[in-house]
């Protein structure tokens, strides 16, 4: 394409000759009202620009993108510390320009803190500066519950940094702004430079001219000036405008601020329009001063960096997505930064893809070998852009995957929430029968994915659906946390309270469950399902109150609680009892189906000399059983912990809770037995205060060792054997001791 640079009234493209243009007002491209409108858009929309998904951000804030940045910054800090360019006694600052919704910032903080903890760098003092021009957005981020730990600890701060004018950092806890930093600065600028002020020039066979633009409404009958004067909500989208160009005024390169760049383009290009990223260049110049020439820039944006791409450019039109953006001339940014001594790396994989740009400023560049190597490795190997390409394929292929394939993609994504969202319909509707191993893997995967998700309160039901999946996976603690977040962002809704209450019920917190069901009925009074489960809770509570061996005030510690075992525990009991060794070690019967479990529980409930409790974990729900048969002032005790929860000392803790129940019941001693070859259980009993007894039993119990534990300081040891014999007789136990 060739441009014709003629007199100041001649446009390269013919302008529409319609009555819709009441006033043609051409201005220099960098002085267009577009830039003011852009700023007003973000200031007025605030967080809704992202909450309503008008402004794209996923491609620069997914997990793998963040992990790449964390890897690079971690190596940068390590290089600086080992090379002496970083003073560990001074804070390190990382400034994110135009942080927007905060998703990148949250993930970066989470990943960086984990990385520092893994490599012993927790003492490193750093502060992530989350900046945005919109007061509404900053207020949202300041109050976001996920950011509170980082804000309170000083690992993060929300600041009003304007990339187009600011040259100092205004911290919330400092009256004096920071104008010179003591340590190198890290700058993150994702999807920022494409929205900052740009200038336009035309290169035409050695001549350089200015680009002037007129904002033209697309709809007939609209007046440009009338529209630009309207509030944002009345203007419509930026897609309602087109740009009309004129090329004016020969530029005197020798006196222009972009002398070096314009001279380069005058020499290298034939006839082409050139966008000059003036806002980005000015911003980087100011940040270089702020950082004392020690700075790492990481940026990702749409644009181009090769001269061959620059030669293909035409006069741009707006790319509209709530706000608007223009391609970034990273070729100019690269030339400008290299002229100042910076090391620069660019990568772009697809014509429509992003440019990944890194620039390192330092007088001691040799210090940062690992940093530069990490940048090259991260962007030339499997890159964030490669993952985004896979994600686009998954958009149409997700419903054809098996659960194992879905898990593989989820792991590949770094447990990314958008990837999980593609799988949710299949996971929720097909009711996949997971093996125990798969179930455990999906629980862990869901935990990590939710940990990576930064909720904004979008209008979809993603959060609620993830909560339902956690419920289906019986990860009650995670489901409760998700439903609580749903309530925070979406307010009181019957389905949320209903499902939250079910999770509290399954984890044994019936008071919270009952309260949740009541609140669900406030939202939807005629919900028969909620009415029924609420009545069930009330009936069970009444039943518990009638049991003389259950003392709820003594039945819980920080994570565990005991509830009388009931038939509502049967399904979880059956699943956790699947290891045959549990029955063998506890002398319990084979329970091969759900019906046999229900029959067993019913028989235990009817035994007047039996106290039997479900062990419930606040996150996992049912994890095992503790029980005792008792008579007079003694009891015979056993416990088992389910297959998925062994080796966590839950058995010892559940036993201590049972001891409290036994003491409240008036018992003074507990007895139990364990196979002589079961060293692990013997050790566990001794840890909970049991002592070995000097007695043995007849066959078939001749391989068992017997233990006793005193519950009162008044117990007499010499009475242990006689009390044990009496207990066995009173409870009709089949055990026969050798007494002679």
């Amino acid at each position: 394409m060739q441009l014709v640079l003629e007199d100041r009234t001649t446009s390269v493209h013919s302008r529409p000759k319609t009555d819709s243009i009441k006033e043609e007002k051409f201005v220099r491209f960098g002085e267009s009202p577009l830039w003011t409108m852009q700023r007003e858009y973000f200031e007025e929309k605030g967080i809704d620009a992202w909450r309503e998904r008008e402004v794209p951000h996923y491609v620069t804030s997914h997990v793998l993108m963040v992990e790449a940045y964390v890897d690079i910054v971690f190596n940068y800090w390590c290089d600086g510390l080992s090379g002496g360019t970083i003073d560990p006694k001074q804070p390190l600052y990382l400034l994110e320009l135009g942080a927007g919704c905060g998703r990148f910032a949250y993930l970066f903080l989470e990943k960086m803190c984990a990385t520092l903890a893994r490599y012993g760098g927790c003492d490193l003092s750093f502060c992530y500066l989350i900046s945005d021009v919109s007061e509404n957005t900053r207020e949202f981020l300041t109050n976001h519950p996920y950011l509170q730990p980082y804000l309170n600890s000083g690992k993060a701060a929300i600041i009003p940094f304007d990339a187009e004018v600011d040259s100092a950092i205004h911290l919330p806890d400092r009256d004096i702004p920071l104008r010179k930093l003591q340590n190198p600065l890290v700058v993150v600028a994702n999807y920022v430079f494409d929205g900052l002020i740009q200038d336009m020039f035309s290169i035409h066979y050695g001549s350089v001219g200015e680009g002037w633009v007129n904002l033209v409404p697309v709809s007939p009958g609209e007046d440009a000036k009338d529209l630009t004067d309207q509030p944002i909500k009345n203007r419509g989208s930026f897609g309602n405008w087109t740009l009309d160009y004129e090329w004016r005024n020969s530029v005197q390169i020798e006196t222009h601020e972009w002398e070096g760049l314009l001279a380069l383009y005058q020499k290298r290009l034939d006839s082409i329009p050139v966008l000059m990223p003036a806002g980005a260049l000015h911003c980087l110049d100011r940040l270089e001063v702020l950082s004392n020439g020690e700075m790492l820039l990481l940026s990702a944006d749409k644009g181009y960096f090769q001269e061959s791409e620059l030669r293909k450019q035409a006069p741009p039109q707006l790319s509209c997505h709530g706000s608007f953006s223009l391609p970034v001339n990273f070729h100019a940014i690269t030339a400008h930064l290299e002229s100042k001594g910076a090391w620069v790396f660019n990568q772009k994989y697809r014509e429509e893809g992003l440019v990944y740009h890194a620039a390192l400023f330092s007088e001691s560049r040799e210090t940062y070998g690992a940093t530069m190597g990490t940048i090259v490795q991260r962007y030339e190997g499997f890159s964030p852009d490669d993952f985004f390409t896979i994600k686009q394929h998954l958009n149409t292929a997700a419903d054809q995957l098996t659960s194992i394939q879905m898990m593989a993609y989820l792991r590949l994504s770094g447990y990314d929430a958008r990837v999980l969202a593609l799988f949710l319909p299949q996971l929720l509707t097909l009711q996949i029968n997971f093996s125990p191993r798969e179930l455990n893997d999906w629980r862990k995967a869901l935990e990590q994915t939710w940990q990576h998700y930064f909720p904004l309160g979008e209008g979809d039901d993603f959060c609620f659906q993830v909560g339902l999946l956690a419920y289906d996976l019986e990860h009650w603690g995670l489901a409760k946390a998700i439903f609580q977040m749903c309530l925070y962002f979406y307010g009181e809704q019957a389905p949320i309270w209903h499902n939250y209450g079910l999770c509290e019920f399954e984890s044994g917190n019936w008071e919270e469950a009952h309260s949740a069901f009541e609140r669900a009925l406030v939202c939807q009074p005629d919900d028969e399902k909620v009415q029924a489960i609420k009545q069930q809770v009330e009936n069970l509570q009444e039943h518990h109150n009638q049991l003389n061996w259950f003392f709820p005030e003594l039945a819980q510690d920080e994570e565990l609680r005991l509830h009388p075992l009931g038939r509502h525990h049967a399904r979880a009991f059956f699943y956790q009892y699947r290891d045959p060794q549990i029955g063998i070690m506890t002398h319990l019967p084979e329970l091969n189906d759900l019906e046999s479990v229900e029959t067993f529980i019913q028989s235990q409930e009817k035994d007047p000399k039996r106290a039997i409790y479900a062990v419930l974990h606040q996150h996992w729900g049912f994890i095992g059983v503790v029980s005792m048969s008792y008579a007079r002032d003694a009891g015979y005790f056993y416990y088992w912990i389910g297959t998925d929860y062994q080796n966590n000392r839950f058995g010892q803790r559940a036993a201590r809770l049972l001891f409290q129940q036994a003491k409240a019941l008036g018992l003074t001693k507990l007895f139990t037995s364990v196979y002589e070859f079961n060293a692990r259980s013997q050790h566990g009993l001794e840890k909970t205060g049991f002592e070995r007894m000097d007695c043995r039993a007849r066959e078939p119990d001749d391989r068992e060792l017997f233990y006793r534990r005193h519950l009162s300081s008044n117990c007499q040891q010499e009475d242990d054997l006689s009390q044990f014999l009496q207990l066995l007789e009173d409870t009709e136990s089949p055990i026969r001791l050798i007494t002679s």
Side-chain angles (χ1 to χ4, degrees), residues 133-345:
V133 296
S134 167
E135 183 177 356
N136 174 294
T137 302
R138 295 197 305 272
E139 181 181 1
F140 171 82
L141 296 175
T142 299
N143 295 322
H144 199 292
Y146 282 24
L147 292 176
Q148 293 307 303
Y150 302 109
L151 297 174
N152 294 336
S153 66
K155 295 292 186 187
I158 313 293
I159 65 169
F161 190 90
D162 188 336
E164 290 186 335
V165 297
D166 283 341
S167 58
I169 294 172
H170 297 263
L171 295 176
D173 57 349
R174 286 176 59 105
D175 295 330
I176 301 174
L178 294 174
R179 300 187 184 280
K180 292 284 184 180
L181 301 181
Q182 301 300 310
N183 270 329
L185 174 67
V186 176
V187 177
V188 171
N190 292 333
Y191 269 153
V192 173
F193 294 156
D194 64 354
L196 298 184
I197 290 175
Q198 302 203 45
D199 289 330
M200 173 76 77
F201 297 94
S202 65
I203 308 298
H204 185 64
Y205 300 109
S207 298
V208 180
E210 288 183 324
W212 287 52
V213 66
N214 182 31
L215 209 57
V216 181
V218 173
S219 300
E222 296 283 8
D223 185 280
K225 185 175 186 305
D226 289 344
L227 280 177
T228 56
D229 289 341
Q230 291 289 322
I232 290 292
K233 63 182 180 181
N234 296 335
R235 288 181 191 155
S237 73
F238 284 98
N240 293 336
W241 305 86
T242 187
L243 304 182
D244 193 21
Y245 290 94
E246 285 186 352
W247 310 99
R248 304 181 179 182
N249 305 333
S250 248
V251 175
Q252 298 300 315
I253 295 178
E254 297 78 8
T255 59
H256 200 281
E257 65 172 330
W258 308 125
E259 173 189 355
L261 291 171
L262 291 175
L264 173 67
Y265 290 146
Q266 182 185 42
K267 179 181 179 181
R268 300 286 301 174
L269 302 178
D270 296 328
S271 182
I272 207 78
V274 175
L275 275 173
M276 187 68 69
L281 295 173
H282 286 143
C283 174
L284 293 174
D285 286 347
R286 292 192 300 272
L287 291 176
E288 184 191 10
V289 173
L290 174 67
S291 65
N292 285 309
E294 294 285 333
M295 182 172 73
L296 172 67
L297 167 67
L298 298 174
S299 179
D301 222 322
K302 66 175 191 175
Y304 42 86
F305 71 92
Q306 294 179 328
E307 187 175 306
S308 58
E309 293 179 285
L310 182 60
R311 292 178 180 276
K312 300 175 184 177
Q313 300 305 307
Q317 290 295 327
L318 302 179
S319 176
C320 303
H321 34 68
S323 60
F324 75 87
S325 59
L326 293 166
V328 179
N329 183 354
F330 279 104
H331 183 276
I333 293 176
T334 297
H336 180 69
L337 298 186
E338 287 181 338
S339 72
K340 300 164 79 67
W343 175 85
V344 181
F345 181 87

Side-chain angles (χ1 to χ4, degrees), residues 63-77:
V63 178
L64 294 186
M65 182 75 168
V66 174
E67 286 181 346
Y69 277 40
V70 167
D71 194 12
I72 293 167
V73 173
F74 177 74
N75 279 278
Y76 179 65
W77 286 346

Side-chain angles (χ1 to χ4, degrees), residues 633-635 667-671 709-710 715-716 719-720 723:
D633 60 351
L667 306 188
T668 60
K669 292 181 183 179
L670 284 177
F671 300 91
R709 188 186 193 280
H710 292 171
C715 292
Q716 299 297 318
D719 297 334
D720 289 347
Q723 280 187 279

Side-chain angles (χ1 to χ4, degrees), residues 131 169 327 362 365 403 544 634:
S131 75
I169 294 172
S362 180
R365 186 189 299 177
S403 63
H544 287 186

